[in-house]
Amino acid sequence: MTLHISGTVTGPVVLGPNSKHLTTITNTGAVNSTGIGVDGIDGPAGNRWPIENDGTITASGGLGISLAAGGSVDNGASALISGGIAGILINGAAGAVANAGSIYGAGTGNTVVNSTLVISGDGVAFLAGGSVTNAGSGSISGHGARGVGDSSGSGVFITGGSARVTNSGNINATAYGVALDSGGGVTNTSTGSIQGVEDGVKISNQPGAVTNAGSIVAKDDPTRGGDDGVALFAGGTVTNGAGALIQSGSGFGTPLSAAGVFTTNGSGSVANSGSIKGTIFGALLTPGSIANASGTVTNSASGAISGGEAGVAFNIMGGALVNAGQISASGAGGAGADLEAGGSVTNSAGGSISGTLFGVLIAGGSGTIANAGTLSGGVYAAKFSGGGTNTLLVEPGAVFVGAIGGALGASNTLESVAGSNAAIGSLINFQTLAVDPGSAMTLNGATVVPTVLDNGTLEITDSLDVSTAIDPASTGVFRLDSGSVLDVAAAVGARTMMSFIGPSELAIDDVGAFGSQVGDPLAYSGPLLAQFGAGDVIDLKNFGFAGVSLSPLTSNGVLHITNASVSGSRVADLKFDTSTLGAGHFQASSDGGAGALITLEP
């Protein structure tokens, strides 16, 4: 049997045997209820009730529709369902709502369900799971008090079972736009808008999945800032499509924690091709109580993620960030990417990661950064602060704005890969600098590195102190620009070239460790010194000056230098590229200390 309502009826309408098949309210029909706790339509336990509404159902002090054993509600394009406590409440079994009209929970009253759960001001509330589909013309709103719990002031609240919300219209609430308390999924299409003050979407207790092609926003209200755009309290995935927006409110409490996307208590994954904006964090991923949780963020070429303190932050968890778009942090001390327990950052060609202090900060563990885009920071373009092993790979197209810093007590390596040609402003606390074959690097700041492996081209515009050794396997070129200084503790290899591009200086700490077979100029092999001319200087540290003697160049271009006045005597050999050697004769003079300067004089 079917129950039809085409006129005005005073509720509550209590469903019975005649409405087991279908209850319909036509576009001329209306069910109106008044009084505290008086519902519009009640479907008692024992049957799963189906309802189709094209008219009006209102209950100013109760529930618009209450179904105690599950059921379905289809609300038409011009239809209205409203309740002082909630628009629709379905308990006992899974519910299904398809809405193209308006569903409204006013929050003027409340009801206690299952002894503990307080329902107040939800648009739609399911207590045994279910699905809600809101069409492009649909509006679902909840206006209950925020801060009371997920079941108060939510546009859609689902607990007690599997949950799925698909929105193409508008969901708006004073607390949570959508709150799923037993996990589940939310799909917000390109025409969909979900807004809440606490969070736009909150999913807890089981992993959640959010796919957004529209707008999900945590809005501010006149008395308090909104919180997270999307919050997953048991981990899960967030996919934000091209042109889509996820945005936090301005935050509340101390400290502020408003994030565009927030995941905790499980592994989290964010894939963004649209815009994610957070007042404090663009995306914040934390492990919560799950010790082995991990996080991943992938930002495509069309994606933008921004925050105040950090664009992307992994807090107390290993993280992996892959970026081809824009990631930024605009607040004081901000980091574009902040990984607080180690991890990896891959910044692809065209990608930009920037912060007011750090472009990328990796702390709390080993880290790897591979950069083919732009890393920019007010102080550091990239900074490692964790122990273990840290590696920065400079790839073709890489740009660094700011210093690059290694971690104290860690093994820090910077490597330029084939095809790259990057300029480094300042390299701080790195133990190894590797220039691969087919790559070039320019050092523009004063730099100290214990070990350098140069198989490409390394250009020095300021100073480079190789404090331990140039790796003997090096086959590359050191280019000394005008005014630059290359200070070498040891360089026993024979396949490295040091080219004096402008008036510059080569300082040799230990002449006995500069090449091999030192003391036998005919057998000597060592770095080849090219383009040495007027204005260039070689400083033989601790060699002494009084008693220095220079022998004529050998046929293989070796300058043999001795100093018999020093206890035990000293000997040095320097091999020059005679085809690029400037005109003049070699001359020795004091370096003002314990060494001798070798120059070429007219």
Side-chain angles (χ1 to χ4, degrees):
M1 297 293 292
T2 300
L3 173 64
H4 295 281
I5 298 174
S6 57
T8 299
V9 176
T10 299
V13 173
V14 179
L15 303 181
N18 289 338
S19 54
K20 288 181 182 179
H21 177 62
L22 183 67
T23 298
T24 62
I25 297 93
T26 69
N27 59 3
T28 60
V31 177
N32 298 319
S33 296
T34 59
I36 297 175
V38 179
D39 302 332
I41 295 177
D42 282 324
N47 289 295
R48 187 180 188 279
W49 305 100
I51 297 174
E52 289 186 1
N53 178 46
D54 288 310
T56 300
I57 302 171
T58 65
S60 60
L63 300 163
I65 295 175
S66 175
L67 305 180
S72 62
V73 177
D74 188 341
N75 197 45
S78 299
L80 168 66
I81 301 171
S82 71
I85 296 175
I88 298 171
L89 172 64
I90 300 179
N91 194 7
V97 168
N99 178 53
S102 178
I103 301 175
Y104 182 90
T108 56
N110 65 75
T111 185
V112 178
V113 182
N114 300 332
S115 302
T116 58
L117 191 62
V118 179
I119 304 295
S120 178
D122 298 321
V124 175
F126 293 168
L127 306 188
S131 65
V132 174
T133 301
N134 193 41
S137 59
S139 172
I140 302 175
S141 58
H143 297 270
R146 55 172 167 71
V148 178
D150 296 358
S151 59
S152 176
S154 292
V156 175
F157 168 68
I158 303 177
T159 189
S162 176
R164 169 62 59 183
V165 176
T166 301
N167 178 53
S168 298
N170 180 62
I171 299 176
N172 183 38
T174 53
Y176 302 99
V178 175
L180 308 182
D181 270 15
S182 300
V186 175
T187 299
N188 193 44
T189 72
S190 60
T191 60
S193 172
I194 300 175
Q195 293 188 354
V197 175
E198 295 277 356
D199 298 314
V201 172
K202 176 186 178 183
I203 304 178
S204 55
N205 297 310
Q206 294 292 329
V210 175
T211 300
N212 180 46
S215 173
I216 300 176
V217 174
K219 61 182 181 178
D220 292 347
D221 73 10
T223 61
R224 196 188 72 173
D227 200 8
D228 304 320
V230 172
L232 305 182
F233 282 88
T237 63
V238 176
T239 302
N240 195 45
L245 171 66
I246 299 176
Q247 181 173 320
S248 82
S250 62
F252 65 94
T254 304
L256 292 174
S257 60
V261 173
F262 172 61
T263 74
T264 188
N265 294 322
S267 295
S269 176
V270 178
N272 179 53
S273 297
S275 178
I276 299 176
K277 300 179 180 180
T279 301
I280 309 302
F281 302 100
L284 172 62
L285 291 79
T286 74
S289 61
I290 308 301
N292 296 322
S294 62
T296 62
V297 174
T298 302
N299 192 44
S300 73
S302 62
I305 303 176
S306 62
E309 185 174 318
V312 174
F314 299 92
N315 186 24
I316 324 177
M317 73 188 308
L321 169 62
V322 177
N323 177 55
Q326 309 294 311
I327 298 175
S328 62
S330 59
D338 184 0
L339 287 70
E340 290 293 330
S344 65
V345 174
T346 301
N347 192 42
S348 304
S352 173
I353 304 176
S354 63
T356 55
L357 182 58
F358 304 101
V360 174
L361 172 65
I362 301 182
S366 297
T368 299
I369 300 172
N371 181 38
T374 299
L375 301 182
S376 176
V379 177
Y380 288 99
K383 179 70 169 74
F384 296 103
S385 294
T389 301
N390 300 310
T391 302
L392 193 156
L393 298 174
V394 181
E395 299 182 338
V399 175
F400 298 90
V401 180
I404 297 173
L408 294 172
S411 173
N412 305 293
T413 297
L414 184 145
E415 179 180 354
S416 65
V417 304
S420 65
N421 186 3
I424 306 299
S426 183
L427 189 64
I428 303 169
N429 199 38
F430 271 72
Q431 288 68 52
T432 302
L433 172 60
V435 183
D436 290 353
S439 71
M441 179 180 293
T442 300
L443 292 177
N444 289 326
T447 302
V448 178
V449 178
T451 302
V452 174
L453 173 61
D454 182 9
N455 288 317
T457 300
L458 181 58
E459 188 158 352
I460 304 161
T461 66
D462 192 319
S463 67
L464 172 61
D465 182 357
V466 185
S467 59
T468 298
I470 295 174
D471 192 305
S474 295
T475 60
V477 177
F478 291 84
R479 290 171 55 91
L480 281 65
D481 287 357
S482 180
S484 66
V485 177
L486 172 60
D487 192 333
V488 178
V492 299
R495 296 186 293 168
T496 298
M497 177 184 288
M498 298 173 182
S499 185
F500 296 79
I501 304 304
S504 51
E505 177 181 336
L506 169 64
I508 301 171
D509 295 349
D510 182 359
V511 295
F514 195 78
S516 61
Q517 301 294 318
V518 177
D520 184 348
L522 295 179
Y524 173 81
S525 63
L528 181 63
L529 308 180
Q531 296 181 267
F532 190 80
D536 295 323
V537 177
I538 298 173
D539 185 357
L540 308 180
K541 293 185 176 181
N542 301 312
F543 192 77
F545 166 64
V548 168
S549 175
L550 306 179
S551 299
L553 282 180
T554 65
S555 60
N556 60 343
V558 174
L559 177 66
H560 185 62
I561 310 165
T562 60
N563 188 350
S565 69
V566 179
S567 176
S569 75
R570 295 289 175 86
V571 63
D573 289 310
L574 302 172
K575 185 173 183 177
F576 292 90
D577 178 5
T578 56
S579 67
T580 61
L581 184 63
H585 64 278
F586 288 104
Q587 180 174 306
S589 61
S590 173
D591 68 357
L597 299 179
I598 306 300
T599 57
L600 195 63
E601 302 298 332

PDB file of all heavy atoms in Angstrom, residues 112-130:
ATOM      1  N   VAL A 112      18.164  12.868  22.695  1.00  0.00           N
ATOM      2  CA  VAL A 112      19.219  11.952  23.103  1.00  0.00           C
ATOM      3  C   VAL A 112      18.885  10.577  22.549  1.00  0.00           C
ATOM      4  O   VAL A 112      17.794  10.040  22.782  1.00  0.00           O
ATOM      5  CB  VAL A 112      19.348  11.893  24.634  1.00  0.00           C
ATOM      6  CG1 VAL A 112      20.440  10.889  25.030  1.00  0.00           C
ATOM      7  CG2 VAL A 112      19.681  13.276  25.188  1.00  0.00           C
ATOM      8  N   VAL A 113      19.842  10.001  21.786  1.00  0.00           N
ATOM      9  CA  VAL A 113      19.649   8.706  21.161  1.00  0.00           C
ATOM     10  C   VAL A 113      20.656   7.731  21.741  1.00  0.00           C
ATOM     11  O   VAL A 113      21.823   8.075  21.975  1.00  0.00           O
ATOM     12  CB  VAL A 113      19.819   8.810  19.631  1.00  0.00           C
ATOM     13  CG1 VAL A 113      19.560   7.462  18.971  1.00  0.00           C
ATOM     14  CG2 VAL A 113      18.877   9.868  19.068  1.00  0.00           C
ATOM     15  N   ASN A 114      20.226   6.503  21.957  1.00  0.00           N
ATOM     16  CA  ASN A 114      21.100   5.458  22.503  1.00  0.00           C
ATOM     17  C   ASN A 114      21.746   5.882  23.820  1.00  0.00           C
ATOM     18  O   ASN A 114      22.890   5.559  24.103  1.00  0.00           O
ATOM     19  CB  ASN A 114      22.171   5.069  21.493  1.00  0.00           C
ATOM     20  CG  ASN A 114      21.586   4.541  20.198  1.00  0.00           C
ATOM     21  OD1 ASN A 114      20.492   3.993  20.196  1.00  0.00           O
ATOM     22  ND2 ASN A 114      22.297   4.735  19.101  1.00  0.00           N
ATOM     23  N   SER A 115      21.035   6.647  24.574  1.00  0.00           N
ATOM     24  CA  SER A 115      21.392   7.068  25.937  1.00  0.00           C
ATOM     25  C   SER A 115      22.476   8.129  26.004  1.00  0.00           C
ATOM     26  O   SER A 115      22.580   8.857  26.995  1.00  0.00           O
ATOM     27  CB  SER A 115      21.848   5.870  26.793  1.00  0.00           C
ATOM     28  OG  SER A 115      20.842   4.892  26.855  1.00  0.00           O
ATOM     29  N   THR A 116      23.307   8.253  24.979  1.00  0.00           N
ATOM     30  CA  THR A 116      24.444   9.169  25.089  1.00  0.00           C
ATOM     31  C   THR A 116      24.547  10.179  23.952  1.00  0.00           C
ATOM     32  O   THR A 116      25.076  11.270  24.136  1.00  0.00           O
ATOM     33  CB  THR A 116      25.761   8.385  25.145  1.00  0.00           C
ATOM     34  OG1 THR A 116      25.882   7.583  23.968  1.00  0.00           O
ATOM     35  CG2 THR A 116      25.815   7.491  26.375  1.00  0.00           C
ATOM     36  N   LEU A 117      24.073   9.844  22.770  1.00  0.00           N
ATOM     37  CA  LEU A 117      24.292  10.686  21.599  1.00  0.00           C
ATOM     38  C   LEU A 117      23.235  11.778  21.528  1.00  0.00           C
ATOM     39  O   LEU A 117      22.034  11.509  21.474  1.00  0.00           O
ATOM     40  CB  LEU A 117      24.242   9.831  20.327  1.00  0.00           C
ATOM     41  CG  LEU A 117      24.707  10.497  19.035  1.00  0.00           C
ATOM     42  CD1 LEU A 117      26.167  10.901  19.133  1.00  0.00           C
ATOM     43  CD2 LEU A 117      24.498   9.545  17.859  1.00  0.00           C
ATOM     44  N   VAL A 118      23.681  13.023  21.525  1.00  0.00           N
ATOM     45  CA  VAL A 118      22.780  14.163  21.475  1.00  0.00           C
ATOM     46  C   VAL A 118      22.720  14.683  20.046  1.00  0.00           C
ATOM     47  O   VAL A 118      23.728  15.103  19.486  1.00  0.00           O
ATOM     48  CB  VAL A 118      23.238  15.283  22.420  1.00  0.00           C
ATOM     49  CG1 VAL A 118      22.299  16.477  22.322  1.00  0.00           C
ATOM     50  CG2 VAL A 118      23.302  14.763  23.853  1.00  0.00           C
ATOM     51  N   ILE A 119      21.526  14.620  19.449  1.00  0.00           N
ATOM     52  CA  ILE A 119      21.313  15.150  18.106  1.00  0.00           C
ATOM     53  C   ILE A 119      20.708  16.535  18.229  1.00  0.00           C
ATOM     54  O   ILE A 119      19.683  16.720  18.880  1.00  0.00           O
ATOM     55  CB  ILE A 119      20.368  14.242  17.295  1.00  0.00           C
ATOM     56  CG1 ILE A 119      20.893  12.803  17.246  1.00  0.00           C
ATOM     57  CG2 ILE A 119      20.169  14.800  15.896  1.00  0.00           C
ATOM     58  CD1 ILE A 119      22.192  12.656  16.524  1.00  0.00           C
ATOM     59  N   SER A 120      21.362  17.524  17.586  1.00  0.00           N
ATOM     60  CA  SER A 120      20.820  18.879  17.655  1.00  0.00           C
ATOM     61  C   SER A 120      21.277  19.684  16.442  1.00  0.00           C
ATOM     62  O   SER A 120      22.473  19.924  16.262  1.00  0.00           O
ATOM     63  CB  SER A 120      21.280  19.587  18.933  1.00  0.00           C
ATOM     64  OG  SER A 120      20.789  20.918  18.969  1.00  0.00           O
ATOM     65  N   GLY A 121      20.324  20.068  15.629  1.00  0.00           N
ATOM     66  CA  GLY A 121      20.612  20.983  14.546  1.00  0.00           C
ATOM     67  C   GLY A 121      21.403  20.395  13.403  1.00  0.00           C
ATOM     68  O   GLY A 121      22.177  21.115  12.757  1.00  0.00           O
ATOM     69  N   ASP A 122      21.246  19.083  13.101  1.00  0.00           N
ATOM     70  CA  ASP A 122      21.855  18.485  11.922  1.00  0.00           C
ATOM     71  C   ASP A 122      20.872  18.543  10.757  1.00  0.00           C
ATOM     72  O   ASP A 122      19.661  18.370  10.934  1.00  0.00           O
ATOM     73  CB  ASP A 122      22.231  17.018  12.173  1.00  0.00           C
ATOM     74  CG  ASP A 122      23.251  16.859  13.283  1.00  0.00           C
ATOM     75  OD1 ASP A 122      24.165  17.698  13.364  1.00  0.00           O
ATOM     76  OD2 ASP A 122      23.133  15.899  14.063  1.00  0.00           O
ATOM     77  N   GLY A 123      21.419  18.733   9.552  1.00  0.00           N
ATOM     78  CA  GLY A 123      20.544  18.626   8.390  1.00  0.00           C
ATOM     79  C   GLY A 123      20.077  17.199   8.211  1.00  0.00           C
ATOM     80  O   GLY A 123      18.886  16.910   8.198  1.00  0.00           O
ATOM     81  N   VAL A 124      21.072  16.268   8.086  1.00  0.00           N
ATOM     82  CA  VAL A 124      20.792  14.846   7.964  1.00  0.00           C
ATOM     83  C   VAL A 124      21.655  14.114   8.972  1.00  0.00           C
ATOM     84  O   VAL A 124      22.858  14.370   9.065  1.00  0.00           O
ATOM     85  CB  VAL A 124      21.097  14.331   6.542  1.00  0.00           C
ATOM     86  CG1 VAL A 124      20.921  12.821   6.473  1.00  0.00           C
ATOM     87  CG2 VAL A 124      20.208  15.025   5.512  1.00  0.00           C
ATOM     88  N   ALA A 125      21.057  13.192   9.730  1.00  0.00           N
ATOM     89  CA  ALA A 125      21.804  12.391  10.697  1.00  0.00           C
ATOM     90  C   ALA A 125      21.438  10.922  10.523  1.00  0.00           C
ATOM     91  O   ALA A 125      20.258  10.566  10.564  1.00  0.00           O
ATOM     92  CB  ALA A 125      21.505  12.847  12.128  1.00  0.00           C
ATOM     93  N   PHE A 126      22.464  10.070  10.290  1.00  0.00           N
ATOM     94  CA  PHE A 126      22.297   8.613  10.219  1.00  0.00           C
ATOM     95  C   PHE A 126      23.073   8.005  11.378  1.00  0.00           C
ATOM     96  O   PHE A 126      24.247   8.335  11.590  1.00  0.00           O
ATOM     97  CB  PHE A 126      22.865   8.041   8.919  1.00  0.00           C
ATOM     98  CG  PHE A 126      22.150   8.442   7.655  1.00  0.00           C
ATOM     99  CD1 PHE A 126      22.733   8.188   6.420  1.00  0.00           C
ATOM    100  CD2 PHE A 126      20.901   9.038   7.687  1.00  0.00           C
ATOM    101  CE1 PHE A 126      22.094   8.532   5.252  1.00  0.00           C
ATOM    102  CE2 PHE A 126      20.249   9.391   6.519  1.00  0.00           C
ATOM    103  CZ  PHE A 126      20.850   9.137   5.293  1.00  0.00           C
ATOM    104  N   LEU A 127      22.448   7.067  12.080  1.00  0.00           N
ATOM    105  CA  LEU A 127      23.111   6.436  13.219  1.00  0.00           C
ATOM    106  C   LEU A 127      23.511   4.995  12.946  1.00  0.00           C
ATOM    107  O   LEU A 127      24.056   4.335  13.831  1.00  0.00           O
ATOM    108  CB  LEU A 127      22.204   6.499  14.450  1.00  0.00           C
ATOM    109  CG  LEU A 127      21.688   7.896  14.826  1.00  0.00           C
ATOM    110  CD1 LEU A 127      20.969   7.845  16.165  1.00  0.00           C
ATOM    111  CD2 LEU A 127      22.820   8.920  14.854  1.00  0.00           C
ATOM    112  N   ALA A 128      23.279   4.479  11.737  1.00  0.00           N
ATOM    113  CA  ALA A 128      23.668   3.113  11.376  1.00  0.00           C
ATOM    114  C   ALA A 128      24.245   3.087   9.965  1.00  0.00           C
ATOM    115  O   ALA A 128      24.069   2.132   9.221  1.00  0.00           O
ATOM    116  CB  ALA A 128      22.476   2.171  11.487  1.00  0.00           C
ATOM    117  N   GLY A 129      24.939   4.148   9.619  1.00  0.00           N
ATOM    118  CA  GLY A 129      25.556   4.238   8.304  1.00  0.00           C
ATOM    119  C   GLY A 129      24.553   4.581   7.224  1.00  0.00           C
ATOM    120  O   GLY A 129      23.357   4.739   7.466  1.00  0.00           O
ATOM    121  N   GLY A 130      25.092   4.743   6.003  1.00  0.00           N
ATOM    122  CA  GLY A 130      24.219   5.032   4.881  1.00  0.00           C
ATOM    123  C   GLY A 130      24.859   5.982   3.898  1.00  0.00           C
ATOM    124  O   GLY A 130      26.048   6.275   3.961  1.00  0.00           O
TER     125      GLY A 130
END
